[in-house]
Amino acid sequence: MAQDLLVAERLEARIAERLPQLLLDVRDRLLTGWPDYAAFLDEDLEEIRDGAGLFLHRLMVLATSGLNDGARPLEDEQAVQVVFQQIGGRQWELGHDLTRLLTAYQVGARVAWRHVAECASAMDLPGDLIAGLAESVFDFVNHLSQASTQGYVQAQRADARARDRQRADLVDLLLSERSTMSAVRAAADRARWRLPARVALLLGDDEGELLSRLDASTLPVRQGDLAGAIIADPIDRERLARTLRGVRCVIGLTVPVELAARSVELAQIAFGLARDGVLGGCPVFVDDHLDTIIVHRDDRLLAFLRDQVLAPLEGLPVGARERLTDTLVWWLRHQGDRTAVAQELHVHPQTVSYRVNRLRELFGDALDSPRERSRLLLALNWS
């Protein structure tokens, strides 16, 4: 064992003499396919040389003690781990693909092994020690690759969390009546979201399903009872309908981005009506149902109006009142066409005539008044 340590120390000293050339060789090898990493070597050569010295010492410890003998970690190994985690994180920040970095590590490992092998051969070392050295080189590089991968993923997750927070702040501003466009633009820049000319608010039950069908240009909305997304420039309505087919959701009015907050109330009313079955369709487009939304904007007022205009039917048995109400609805919709009303109600036209005469007895001249007919239609047609 003492002899092995002595040999390892001599080998370490010999390779240490070659470290500057080794690093230059690695840099030259990276120039063709990885010029940015070659530049990194040039800029941080001293720091990398220190790390390479630690790598070399660790290599000798592993080679002499055996990979599976539980060699004790070096005191500075954690520092190297952190450095390579930072390198991985930096690759994410620069927008580089992680595979390029890991491939560059393998290139560096092959160059390093060539130098190690040359030194070992010149010293006429035994084959088992050379084999241990080879395994140690690539095992250590794998550890460094894992550290950089961990740093890359951590930076990716941190960036995603930061972006989510920034986008949530942007949504708060977009949906606030008190925000200014200068504040919105600044928040959009921070969130790296291209500010569109027009937007629409999408609301639905299943936020996860909605977002899975939309692209990255949408902003998730999670505000109190609101769950959905803000859609940028929703020009292609047919494509949007296909994308969201089968999902219970409401697509609000398309408005200039500075008016996004004003579209919230209508979208919420429409979503409530869709949930109650008043509005049909998956998805529901608010601009197709503005009349219904206007009527139902305040259910209390609609109920008061309905009670008022249907007062002549008070006192009738429930069944008779319902039949006359249904007849009145279709009579108003078909502008007095008794044949069409009969088809809608699946009754004989004479039955319709009887019911209409009964309605005239109860409502009197109101059925011939344009204003009263409008009030009746408003109260009944959207209920």
Side-chain angles (χ1 to χ4, degrees):
M1 184 67 179
Q3 182 64 29
D4 288 343
L5 290 175
L6 182 60
V7 170
E9 288 175 1
R10 287 171 52 207
L11 179 59
E12 180 178 346
R14 182 167 294 192
I15 299 174
E17 294 175 359
R18 300 178 61 147
L19 268 182
Q21 185 59 48
L22 187 157
L23 294 174
L24 291 176
D25 287 350
V26 172
R27 180 204 62 188
D28 293 343
R29 181 66 181 81
L30 293 175
L31 276 174
T32 53
W34 303 267
D36 45 345
Y37 297 146
F40 173 76
L41 275 175
D42 271 337
E43 294 169 4
D44 299 272
L45 192 58
E46 290 301 321
E47 182 178 349
I48 293 171
R49 186 178 297 168
D50 292 341
L54 177 62
F55 160 71
L56 177 58
H57 185 51
R58 180 59 168 163
L59 176 64
M60 297 305 146
V61 173
L62 288 171
T64 55
S65 63
L67 291 172
N68 299 317
D69 291 342
R72 295 179 58 191
L74 301 179
E75 293 181 359
D76 293 335
E77 191 169 298
Q78 185 61 37
V80 175
Q81 177 98 356
V82 171
V83 168
F84 278 84
Q85 283 180 351
Q86 292 172 344
I87 291 174
R90 183 61 178 156
Q91 300 315 298
W92 168 257
E93 294 170 2
L94 294 173
H96 292 168
D97 182 65
L98 180 61
T99 305
R100 293 181 68 246
L101 177 64
L102 301 185
T103 304
Y105 284 170
Q106 294 302 318
V107 170
R110 288 195 292 271
V111 174
W113 170 242
R114 179 168 55 81
H115 281 270
V116 172
E118 288 175 359
C119 291
S121 298
M123 293 177 61
D124 197 23
L125 297 182
D128 57 345
L129 182 56
I130 293 178
L133 285 169
E135 194 170 356
S136 299
V137 167
F138 292 99
D139 180 74
F140 197 70
V141 169
N142 284 338
H143 283 301
L144 299 184
S145 297
Q146 290 171 7
S148 289
T149 299
Q150 184 179 9
Y152 189 93
V153 171
Q154 288 174 345
Q156 190 178 44
R157 289 174 178 170
D159 187 58
R161 288 193 295 269
R163 187 177 67 249
D164 287 346
R165 288 193 299 270
Q166 290 161 346
R167 291 198 167 192
D169 292 341
L170 174 58
V171 168
D172 290 342
L173 290 173
L174 284 169
L175 300 185
S176 171
E177 294 276 9
R178 296 184 295 275
S179 60
T180 64
M181 278 310 298
S182 60
V184 169
R185 290 190 189 94
D189 288 341
R190 288 192 297 272
R192 287 174 282 174
W193 191 67
R194 184 189 63 81
L195 198 63
R198 301 173 71 78
V199 296
L201 177 63
L202 170 66
L203 297 180
D205 282 327
D206 191 340
E207 179 190 4
E209 177 66 20
L210 288 176
L211 296 179
S212 71
R213 298 196 182 198
L214 299 171
D215 59 35
S217 67
T218 58
L219 285 178
V221 173
R222 304 178 190 90
Q223 275 196 338
D225 295 334
L226 289 182
I230 292 175
I231 306 173
D233 290 325
I235 298 171
D236 193 339
R237 173 172 167 151
E238 292 183 2
R239 180 182 176 187
L240 197 54
R242 288 195 303 271
T243 299
L244 296 170
R245 182 175 293 127
V247 181
R248 186 166 72 181
C249 60
V250 165
I251 301 166
L253 294 177
T254 298
V255 297
V257 66
E258 61 269 19
L259 300 180
R262 299 186 186 180
S263 68
V264 173
E265 183 182 5
L266 286 183
Q268 287 179 300
I269 294 173
F271 185 61
L273 294 176
R275 197 161 40 196
D276 294 340
V278 177
L279 298 181
C282 292
V284 171
F285 287 87
V286 165
D287 55 4
D288 287 340
H289 304 280
L290 286 175
D291 52 351
T292 305
I293 294 169
I294 290 170
V295 172
H296 285 273
R297 190 166 187 167
D298 190 326
D299 287 336
R300 292 172 302 176
L301 288 178
L302 180 60
F304 289 148
L305 178 62
R306 185 182 173 89
D307 290 344
Q308 186 182 72
V309 298
L310 293 181
L313 300 180
E314 287 287 335
L316 294 178
V318 174
R321 185 165 68 245
E322 289 179 350
R323 287 192 295 272
L324 289 176
T325 300
D326 289 343
T327 302
L328 180 57
V329 169
W330 290 111
W331 185 79
L332 290 167
R333 289 183 179 179
H334 289 294
Q335 301 180 15
D337 186 334
R338 300 190 184 197
T339 301
V341 174
Q343 291 175 347
E344 295 283 1
L345 296 175
H346 305 291
V347 298
H348 196 277
Q350 288 183 350
T351 301
V352 175
S353 296
Y354 167 77
R355 293 181 184 177
V356 171
N357 290 334
R358 180 69 177 130
L359 287 168
R360 287 193 176 279
E361 291 176 5
L362 294 168
F363 285 87
D365 295 338
L367 295 187
D368 295 319
S369 166
R371 182 175 185 278
E372 291 304 315
R373 286 170 70 145
S374 296
R375 280 161 51 83
L376 284 166
L377 191 62
L378 185 65
L380 298 175
N381 197 44
W382 290 270
S383 300

